[in-house]
Amino acid sequence: MDLKRSSLNNEKFFSFTLSQKRGIFVLACIIFSLLTGIIVASSIDFEINEKQDFTEFQNQIALYEENLIRNHEANKKQYNNGNFASKSSFQSVRLTPFLFNPNALSLEDGKKLGLKEYQIKTIQNYLSKGGKFRKKEDFKKMYCINEQEYAILEPYIHIPVESNAGIMPPSGANKYVAKKDFLVDLNSADTTDLKELKGIGGGFANRIIKYRKLLGGFYSQSQLLEVWGFTADMLAKIESSLIINPESVQKININTATIDQLKQHPYLDYYVAKNIVKYRTERGKFNSPEDLLKVNLLYEGTFEKIKPYLSVQ
């Protein structure tokens, strides 16, 4: 009897009432919610940390790009002597190269090349003190010429081969004089004439004539370097056989030419042609080719190249 009573008491001790069961269930839900919250919070904190780390990486990249831009702007200011891109908001300083001898660089030719005045004077000062460019690479050593400028100008640098000056020929010997077997007028020669020149085959002959037609004629031998594939070395071999009749150059009347006619020239593009016509329409006819310098987007170097083709009547 006592054993049965004890068993009943134990059952009562280990059993729960309905309210106790509800309390246990609520407590279990709270514990589960807390555990879930901790796990979720940890996950969110991990993601936030990852995001913060990625943001920091992005900030470092942005800072690096800003430094690059800042350095680039500083270099432009230095090489342009504080007068950068006055002709166009979207153009960087552009060189307009042609065949030149750096040992005989004049102020006028330097400006035509697109060099700044301080660069030209630095080069001339070097020459005046006895300096001399003996090979193309010597020009690269000038601190006023940066790598990008040298890369553009290098194909156009022409340093004549020095003769044996100072070596007296034997008595009675005749000095050697380069013989010109024939002369070719670049503005009238056909493919047959051009192929007679050293190193000029049918392909180059056709390209030269095609480009001559686009230009309206050549006014300088150095314009051959604008023909695709033509090099300064090739020009050096044939320049003594070339002549140019400037009267053959076809002129463009900038007071009557249309946008389509202007943009056909290799030295002009659609936007410059459009601004030339717009300027003429709004302000009247041009009095001289130099008036084109007032037109927006026309770089001074480009004007020097196109000037021989311009007419106002």
Side-chain angles (χ1 to χ4, degrees), residues 167-178:
I167 301 177
M168 297 299 293
S171 178
N174 293 324
K175 290 184 178 181
Y176 172 77
V177 179

Side-chain angles (χ1 to χ4, degrees), residues 41-313:
S42 298
S43 176
I44 292 174
D45 184 61
F46 177 75
E47 291 180 1
I48 290 174
N49 288 334
E50 280 192 330
K51 190 171 183 179
Q52 288 175 340
D53 292 340
F54 183 69
T55 302
E56 179 64 23
F57 179 66
Q58 287 181 319
N59 290 337
Q60 292 177 359
I61 293 176
L63 182 60
Y64 176 71
E65 291 177 342
E66 288 177 3
N67 287 333
L68 285 180
I69 294 172
R70 191 178 298 112
N71 291 334
H72 180 60
E73 292 297 325
N75 288 335
K76 286 197 298 186
K77 185 176 181 180
Q78 176 184 356
Y79 284 107
N80 289 285
N81 201 23
N83 298 316
F84 173 69
S86 60
K87 288 292 177 184
S88 171
S89 60
F90 68 85
Q91 291 175 318
S92 61
V93 171
R94 294 185 303 174
L95 298 175
T96 53
F98 53 84
L99 197 67
F100 73 101
N101 178 3
N103 289 311
L105 185 68
S106 65
L107 181 62
E108 182 180 359
D109 286 341
K111 288 182 177 180
K112 288 181 179 180
L113 284 170
L115 296 175
K116 294 298 179 181
E117 188 169 341
Y118 86 93
Q119 293 176 299
I120 304 168
K121 288 183 177 179
T122 299
I123 295 170
Q124 291 179 332
N125 185 50
Y126 168 75
L127 295 172
S128 67
K129 292 182 178 180
K132 191 170 186 178
F133 302 102
R134 291 178 170 79
K135 57 183 183 298
K136 290 183 178 183
E137 292 74 13
D138 292 342
F139 193 69
K140 186 179 182 180
K141 297 176 183 178
M142 299 298 298
Y143 72 87
C144 61
I145 303 296
N146 63 34
E147 292 184 3
Q148 292 79 12
E149 290 169 332
Y150 175 76
I152 295 172
L153 294 174
E154 187 272 335
Y156 300 88
I157 297 174
H158 175 53
I159 301 175
V161 178
E162 294 183 354
S163 62
N164 295 323
I167 301 177
M168 297 299 293
S171 178
N174 293 324
K175 290 184 178 181
Y176 172 77
V177 179
K179 182 180 180 180
K180 297 182 180 180
D181 295 328
F182 54 89
L183 295 176
V184 174
D185 182 358
L186 277 179
N187 285 334
S188 61
D190 57 20
T191 55
T192 302
D193 296 328
L194 292 172
K195 285 190 291 185
E196 291 295 322
L197 296 168
K198 185 175 181 179
I200 305 299
F204 274 116
N206 286 321
R207 288 181 208 168
I208 291 171
I209 290 177
K210 182 178 180 180
Y211 192 62
R212 180 179 71 193
K213 184 177 180 181
L214 287 173
L215 285 172
F218 294 101
Y219 63 78
S220 169
Q221 293 181 4
S222 64
Q223 288 177 289
L224 286 175
L225 296 173
E226 297 166 13
V227 176
W228 184 80
F230 206 95
T231 67
D233 289 337
M234 293 173 63
L235 179 56
K237 293 176 182 178
I238 65 173
E239 60 184 344
S240 61
S241 297
L242 299 178
I243 60 173
I244 294 176
N245 179 10
E247 299 298 325
S248 301
V249 174
Q250 297 177 12
K251 301 287 186 176
I252 303 172
N253 188 340
I254 55 177
N255 282 323
T256 59
T258 64
I259 294 176
D260 287 336
Q261 291 172 333
L262 290 168
K263 74 176 184 178
Q264 295 302 317
H265 199 281
Y267 296 159
L268 300 175
D269 58 28
Y270 168 78
Y271 297 101
V272 174
K274 181 180 178 182
N275 278 314
I276 290 174
V277 174
K278 180 181 178 182
Y279 186 95
R280 184 180 70 204
T281 302
E282 293 176 351
R283 307 197 183 189
K285 292 185 176 182
F286 297 102
N287 295 317
S288 69
E290 282 72 20
D291 287 344
L292 279 188
L293 290 172
K294 302 173 185 177
V295 174
N296 188 29
L297 303 183
L298 184 62
Y299 181 63
E300 186 173 354
T302 303
F303 172 74
E304 292 298 331
K305 291 175 67 176
I306 192 69
K307 182 179 178 181
Y309 299 99
L310 303 180
S311 168
V312 293
Q313 58 181 4

